[in-house]
Amino acid sequence: MPNAASPAVVKAADLLEEAARTGAACPPVRTLLDDGDLETAYAVQQLNVRRGLDAGRRIVGRKIGLTSPAVQRQLGVDQPDFGALFADMAVPQGGEVAAGRLLQPKVEAEVALVLARDLPHRECTVVDLLRAVDFALPALEIVDSRISDWDISLLDTVADNASCGLYVMGGTPVPLGGLDLRSVSMTMTRGGETVSEGTGADCLGSPLNAAVWLARALAERGDPLRAGDLVLTGALGPMVPAAPGDVFAAHIFGLGSVQVGFAEATQGERR
């Protein structure tokens, strides 16, 4: 594991942190990292996560990114990644995202899992996962990139906390018993018009597969999933850009619906 305090890691983390603070996107950080050096990209992510914790933020779970072939094609990558979810990223069901809160948001619909047990094993199985899950919820993830024009590679998005922005959870917990997450269908609308569709199979074959991948990856790093953690398992269909005034709603069969709006910018809020 590279030294998290190395000059390249610190410089990349500083660029991303400043972009988030000022609302001015930065250039890609991949030029600061060696080609294919995924662990250094995660070191950048971890440095800014630690900075968030030091500032009093609270981690409530993890997100899995790049699980949908459609989203992988959109971003030109070929494997999943993960990032940390903080409590202050949560937007209430049916709530509204303030104008200017994010730089260049996009929305995707996902299955969320909430754990009742730890998943400490490096060889976590689907059975282990099923025993650990307390319930599922429909979710909208509002992804965001601190990098200009979403000009990102896998290294960029990993360093940028897997392009985390905000998230919205449905309000009715659903037990997994009798629910086949592979076959669930998703429809997402913007202003009542369908803009994204997919199924559970579009998320690494099943949201359960994605969650197992995450559990193994985190256990391997000595930071396993714990009871109470929220897991956003990844997009079920293409992500869609959001603009002020938009209202998104997603329905996932068997799980219910979730909705979020984006506030219109006032003159004083426009950047």
Side-chain angles (χ1 to χ4, degrees):
M1 175 71 71
N3 182 359
S6 69
V9 167
V10 172
K11 185 172 181 179
D14 286 348
L15 285 172
L16 293 167
E17 183 180 49
E18 182 179 12
R21 178 179 57 82
T22 64
C26 65
V29 298
R30 59 182 176 269
T31 56
L32 302 172
L33 311 176
D34 293 336
D35 286 346
D37 191 355
L38 198 57
E39 289 307 312
T40 297
Y42 275 114
V44 175
Q45 178 188 130
Q46 284 303 109
L47 177 53
N48 276 337
V49 166
R50 284 199 300 274
R51 288 171 172 176
L53 293 172
D54 291 344
R57 303 178 76 190
R58 180 170 65 93
I59 291 177
V60 295
R62 304 281 182 158
K63 67 152 283 184
I64 311 166
L66 311 179
T67 57
S68 164
V71 173
Q72 289 183 2
R73 288 192 297 270
Q74 282 182 300
L75 297 185
V77 299
D78 60 2
Q79 59 180 295
D81 66 350
F82 65 83
L85 297 175
F86 288 94
D88 58 15
M89 292 177 174
V91 177
Q93 151 75 326
E96 192 172 66
V97 178
R101 184 171 180 184
L102 301 175
L103 280 74
Q104 39 194 351
K106 300 183 180 186
V107 182
E108 55 192 31
E110 309 191 10
V111 173
L113 303 175
V114 177
L115 302 182
R117 301 182 184 180
D118 297 350
L119 286 170
H121 304 298
R122 294 184 179 187
E123 294 302 323
C124 177
T125 68
V126 171
V127 172
D128 293 328
L129 177 68
L130 289 171
R131 287 173 173 162
V133 172
D134 193 4
F135 55 85
L137 291 167
L140 291 172
E141 184 184 355
I142 307 166
V143 294
D144 194 24
S145 180
R146 272 54 66 174
I147 295 169
S148 298
D149 301 319
W150 280 92
D151 178 14
I152 63 174
S153 69
L154 180 60
L155 294 184
D156 292 301
T157 188
V158 166
D160 192 19
N161 197 26
S163 303
C164 283
L166 306 170
Y167 59 89
V168 191
M169 311 298 297
T172 304
V174 179
L176 288 188
L179 186 63
D180 180 6
L181 291 183
R182 175 181 170 81
S183 65
V184 296
S185 59
M186 177 279 295
T187 301
M188 185 172 74
T189 61
R190 179 177 57 197
E193 177 185 357
T194 298
V195 290
S196 183
E197 295 180 289
T199 70
D202 294 320
C203 178
L204 283 189
S206 168
L208 296 178
N209 294 342
V212 167
W213 174 86
L214 176 67
R216 291 178 174 181
L218 292 176
E220 182 70 27
R221 287 168 168 78
D223 186 22
L225 290 169
R226 299 296 188 186
D229 278 353
L230 164 67
V231 177
L232 296 181
T233 58
L236 303 181
M239 59 185 181
V240 180
D246 284 346
V247 176
F248 287 84
H251 179 79
I252 301 177
F253 182 81
L255 290 178
S257 299
V258 58
Q259 179 175 307
V260 72
F262 290 80
E264 295 277 7
T266 65
Q267 188 66 35
E269 292 171 322
R270 294 190 183 106
R271 290 198 176 109

